[in-house]
Amino acid sequence: MSKQKVLILGGGYGGIVTAQRLQKKLHYNEAEITLVNKHDYHYITTELHQPAAGTMHHDRARVDINDLLNTKRVNFVQDTVVSINTEEKKVQLENGEQEYDHLVISLGSEPETFGIEGLKENAFSIRSINSVRYIREHIEYMFAKYKNEPEREDYLRFVVGGAGFTGIEFVGELADRLPKLCKEFDVDPERVKIINIEAAPTALPGFDPELVEYAMDVLRKKGVEFKIDTPIKECTPEGVVLADGEEIKAGTIVWTGGVRGNSIVENAGIETMRGRVKVDEYLRAPGFEDIFVVGDCALIINEEINRPYPPTAQMAIQMAMNLSLNLVAVVRGQPKLLRQFQPEIKGTVASLGKGEAIGIVGKKKIFGPIASLMKKIIDLRYLFIIGGIPLVLRKGRF
Ligand code: FAD
Ligand code: NAD
């Protein structure tokens, strides 16, 4: 009998953890496991705000995929997924095609622009190693340009659209980085502005108000200006236009206004909400016994509040661990062993730049250096999960 084909699309949190667990659980003669990823490295998305601001080198936030997988057990294909044909059970890649018996979609998210005019064309977003290299270079270029056109103070204005967790973590890093660039380029720090614009009546909507206040206080002291309750309605090559008509000219606009699932999924004819698939209790796409979805492409409702769980790395990892058990069950033809997915949210910790953070761990609120330490521990724990002590020592920041 020919081996069953398990095809994993995307080597982020969901894809890598699924592949690693499967390579341990399935015997080599039970299934052929293939992972397709755009790059030959796995990037640690939760750290990307740092290389984006230039406070950390991007190499620290990526790991070679071949170092993470047993390549005798998992075929790694470096390619870009173009489309999924669910009827023929085939996936079209830029440079080839893959067939599957069981498909895992873990392609992550895309920026949600809500149709705001000019955002796609004129704003940066923090989503990959290449995108953050671009942001860091652009920030430095703005300083260099300003030195040659000192009347253009807009070159030194940095607008961040959205004060969710990504926006808040990024402005924290930016506020640490810009004073260093001021020294390097002989620029008066008074000329530099970081403006974080948020549509909702508060930054970090839905998060604990006391911690939100703490975060805004820390960031204001570092020089961040907030514009709250002020939606961005347009983005132009010169800056942003707000709903109240105000125009802010800025040389750098970074959009952190939210995410949606990867568009490849909705184009495959799978039912989605903002690109995310409302999976069943076993993480299957509705109507497809052979398609599983994990990470940012999956949507799971928190019944307690009747709202979706936010797409996080924490969820992606837990889903991947559960999915690997379910894949073993389906490959072995043991449907009774399928396990329902039950998220276990351990908390949320967000960095505010060097030595500062906020968070809720269990039911406890934490902030300041303790929260910052906790954030580091969470980052190290992930390195340990995917690469053990050697990876912690090689990539960890202590
Ligand atoms: P990803 O990790 O994004 O992986 C998707 C993979 O698919 C990537 O390797 C990508 O290259 C690949 N891919 C995409 N398209 C294609 C294609 N067409 N062909 C081939 N490959 C493709 N969550 C937390 O829980 N805690 C945090 O502290 C936290 N911090 C964050 C900080 C930042 C700056 C950001 C942006 C997000 C943060 N998140 C955090 C959210 C978290 O990063 C995501 O929820 C998580 O990465 C989702 O995992 P995933 O596997 O679904 O997608
Ligand atoms: P988000 O959806 O959490 O936040 C986006 C923010 O942008 C919201 O506050 C929203 O009100 C605002 N916004 C939307 N439209 C706007 C407009 N027109 N003008 C101004 N503001 C606008 O998105 P995110 O911050 O990118 O986070 C994505 C996911 O990643 C979330 O699930 C988040 O929890 C997770 N994440 C977690 C961490 C952490 O745990 N440390 C860090 C980063 C991201």
Side-chain angles (χ1 to χ4, degrees):
M1 208 174 95
S2 68
K3 285 197 244 179
Q4 296 186 52
K5 290 186 165 73
V6 178
L7 179 61
I8 304 169
L9 306 180
Y13 287 79
I16 282 291
V17 175
T18 303
Q20 286 190 324
R21 299 274 153 150
L22 277 188
Q23 72 187 9
K24 283 195 192 137
K25 290 179 198 297
L26 283 174
H27 299 300
Y28 77 98
N29 56 355
E30 285 182 299
E32 189 182 307
I33 308 163
T34 303
L35 171 78
V36 179
N37 193 54
K38 223 182 238 185
H39 312 283
D40 59 0
Y41 53 82
H42 161 76
Y43 51 76
I44 300 168
T45 316
T46 58
E47 295 186 348
L48 288 182
H49 52 290
Q50 298 173 75
T55 51
M56 172 176 122
H57 194 274
H58 57 262
D59 278 344
R60 288 203 89 100
R62 63 172 168 173
V63 188
D64 284 350
I65 287 186
N66 282 334
D67 287 349
L68 295 176
L69 297 178
N70 174 352
T71 47
K72 289 196 185 114
R73 293 292 300 110
V74 179
N75 311 313
F76 170 56
V77 176
Q78 184 187 345
D79 208 335
T80 299
V81 176
V82 177
S83 59
I84 301 168
N85 183 334
T86 57
E87 269 174 31
E88 291 180 20
K89 295 187 170 217
K90 283 183 182 160
V91 172
Q92 185 62 48
L93 309 179
E94 262 176 21
N95 303 299
E97 193 179 74
Q98 289 282 335
E99 295 180 350
Y100 64 85
D101 295 305
H102 311 285
L103 183 68
V104 176
I105 301 177
S106 46
L107 288 165
S109 56
E110 291 177 359
E112 173 64 276
T113 57
F114 304 106
I116 295 171
E117 209 185 314
L119 257 188
K120 260 195 200 132
E121 299 78 10
N122 302 307
F124 294 96
S125 56
I126 301 173
R127 53 181 305 223
S128 63
I129 292 289
N130 288 335
S131 75
V132 301
R133 271 200 272 235
Y134 196 15
I135 296 173
R136 188 204 60 213
E137 287 289 327
H138 175 85
I139 292 171
E140 290 187 22
Y141 180 55
M142 283 298 110
F143 274 79
K145 254 174 102 99
Y146 170 75
K147 289 308 287 185
N148 289 285
E149 298 172 67
E151 70 287 358
R152 293 292 304 269
E153 295 211 353
D154 55 312
Y155 288 159
L156 297 182
R157 239 168 266 140
F158 300 86
V159 163
V160 178
F165 282 109
T166 305
I168 287 288
E169 289 199 320
F170 178 59
V171 294
E173 296 300 317
L174 201 55
D176 286 348
R177 168 81 167 139
L178 296 187
K180 297 193 174 94
L181 287 175
C182 286
K183 273 203 182 129
E184 191 180 323
F185 285 89
D186 308 316
V187 166
D188 174 2
E190 292 291 318
R191 309 242 161 267
V192 175
K193 270 201 161 75
I194 303 172
I195 308 159
N196 192 185
I197 303 174
E198 168 58 50
T202 167
L204 299 175
F207 201 55
D208 179 86
E210 193 190 354
L211 292 175
V212 175
E213 206 181 305
Y214 178 88
M216 289 177 77
D217 222 36
V218 167
L219 294 170
R220 278 198 188 101
K221 283 189 185 127
K222 288 186 179 200
V224 177
E225 188 185 315
F226 286 98
K227 277 188 176 285
I228 300 295
D229 216 353
T230 320
I232 291 175
K233 79 160 198 232
E234 194 186 335
C235 184
T236 68
E238 286 79 40
V240 289
V241 182
L242 308 182
D244 60 9
E246 187 189 352
E247 199 180 338
I248 301 176
K249 291 203 184 305
T252 308
I253 298 139
V254 178
W255 176 246
T256 61
V259 295
R260 64 191 327 282
N262 195 305
S263 49
I264 288 170
V265 189
E266 53 199 347
N267 296 340
I270 301 172
E271 201 183 317
T272 59
M273 286 160 75
R274 281 175 61 187
R276 299 174 71 196
V277 181
K278 195 169 168 214
V279 289
D280 71 10
E281 66 271 40
Y282 304 118
L283 302 171
R284 289 180 302 211
F288 296 93
E289 295 266 307
D290 53 352
I291 300 182
F292 296 82
V293 189
V294 292
D296 284 3
C297 288
L299 183 137
I300 293 177
I301 301 291
N302 181 345
E303 303 292 350
E304 276 174 31
I305 52 171
N306 200 26
R307 294 190 57 182
Y309 281 101
T312 61
Q314 182 180 179
M315 281 288 277
I317 296 164
Q318 289 183 19
M319 284 184 205
M321 289 175 172
N322 184 279
L323 173 60
S324 61
L325 297 172
N326 287 349
L327 280 168
V328 172
V330 293
V331 164
R332 292 188 180 152
Q334 298 168 322
K336 286 205 173 118
L337 294 185
L338 284 172
R339 282 205 200 176
Q340 294 192 359
F341 176 64
Q342 292 290 352
E344 192 196 330
I345 304 304
K346 297 190 167 80
T348 301
V349 183
S351 121
L352 306 170
K354 197 167 190 305
E356 276 288 359
I358 49 166
I360 297 183
V361 178
K363 290 210 158 92
K364 198 170 158 42
K365 293 183 205 179
I366 53 172
F367 49 85
I370 290 184
S372 178
L373 181 67
M374 180 54 81
K375 178 83 180 127
K376 284 211 169 84
I377 293 170
I378 295 168
D379 292 345
L380 294 175
R381 179 177 172 268
Y382 179 62
L383 292 177
F384 182 75
I385 290 176
I386 60 167
I389 299 274
L391 190 64
V392 172
L393 294 176
R394 202 150 47 85
K395 297 280 174 181
R397 300 224 301 167
F398 300 95

